[in-house]
Each structure stands twice: as structure tokens, then as C-alpha cells.
Amino acid sequence: MEATLDAANRAANLVAALAFQHHCFRNFDLRKHAYDRIKAEFGLAVQAAQHVIKKVCDAYRTLHANLAAGHLGKPGSSRRAAIEARPISFRSPAAQPYDDRCLSWQHDARTVSIWTTAGRLKGVAFTGSARQLALLAAHRRGESDLVCRAKSIVTEAERTGRGIALEDLQGIRERVRLRKPQRVTLHPGVSTSSELSSPTRRSGQEWR
């Protein structure tokens, strides 16, 4: 799964460069330049490729909004000029969106089936307290995020064939917004998490 995340973000960097080159930042239009290429070069499935392109478009939309609002320097400033002179970039462990076609949950069995560049992983265990599991089953909607965390823990889980427990959801009620899809964070390896996270945050021009 770590390799999947790396491939998705290398693909995102290529898409970002193509968008910058062609001044093309709309999802549908950018697919014409990038979709077939990233599928072939990075081994991405249909949905994964589409999510990579959408992630890039969302990142540029946020960047352009910040530029327009003056949050990244005044027009003509050295800071702003440096940002405008190059495409955005994504770190290797930057979060990758997954939808229900890339990730399916079997709540009764407490397992997930998840797409990777090496094939679909089935029967990946997850667990948590009764309250956490009930909250996950009741409120998980929309997309999930694949993220890279706790590499040593994941390595041990892979060695022993065990799942990793769900993260503490204390305070989740204050963060739930029922009008918007809630996102579930997934950790590479044989782990999942029911942490409902906000969309990927940006640091400068580098997306995490």
C-alpha cells in the first residue's frame, strides 16, 4: 500500500506538470492530457487515475484562490512570483482519495477490500471499541483517504498478519458534518482507521 501511495503521488506530480504546461486546470479538460498516460505509466486503475486528476485540480483551485486573496504575497512580490513560476508538487506520502469502488467495507466481518497497484487486497482486518465500530458503520460516507503513518507499526502488523486498531474517535461528534461526505483515513499496510479527517491540507506548494 505504501508503493500504491507513492505511485499515485508520482502520477499526481506528472498531472500537475501537464496542467501547468497546458494551463489546463479543469478536471474534464485535464483528463485529455493525463488520463491515459498515468494509467499506463503508473499502473493506476480507472478510479484511481480519475481521483489523481481530481486531486490535482482541487489543489490548483485552492492555490489560485489563495493567490487571488493575496494570501501568498502581493502581485509582483518575490514570494508570489516563485509560487506562480512552477507547478505544484505532492510528497510521496500525500493522502490519496479512495471511493467505494477502490475500497469496500465488510462491517460484520470487520475487514476491508482495497485496491493497490499490486492487485486488490481482501480480508484486511480492522477493529476498535464497540462505540468506534458503531460510529464507523453508521456515519462512514463518501470518500476515504489513504495516508502513510506509523511505518514501524505497519511493518510489525504485516510481519504478524494482524490488523491495526481503529484510532480513538473521542470528540468526533463535534467534528461530524452530516451535510458533507465524511472521510475515513486509511493507513498503508494492513491497517485502517475510522478517523474522520478533513480534506488534505496544503503546506506552501507541497501537498501532504
Side-chain angles (χ1 to χ4, degrees), residues 192-208:
T192 60
S193 166
S194 63
E195 174 186 350
L196 305 184
S197 65
S198 60
T200 307
R201 295 183 177 181
R202 184 176 59 82
S203 174
Q205 277 192 286
E206 211 161 54
W207 291 71
R208 303 185 178 190

Side-chain angles (χ1 to χ4, degrees), residues 165-183:
L166 297 175
E167 293 184 358
D168 184 13
L169 292 180
Q170 184 176 2
I172 192 65
R173 293 182 184 275
E174 288 73 29
R175 299 198 300 274
V176 169
R177 298 293 184 269
L178 296 180
R179 293 183 180 180
K180 297 181 180 180
Q182 294 149 328
R183 304 171 71 89

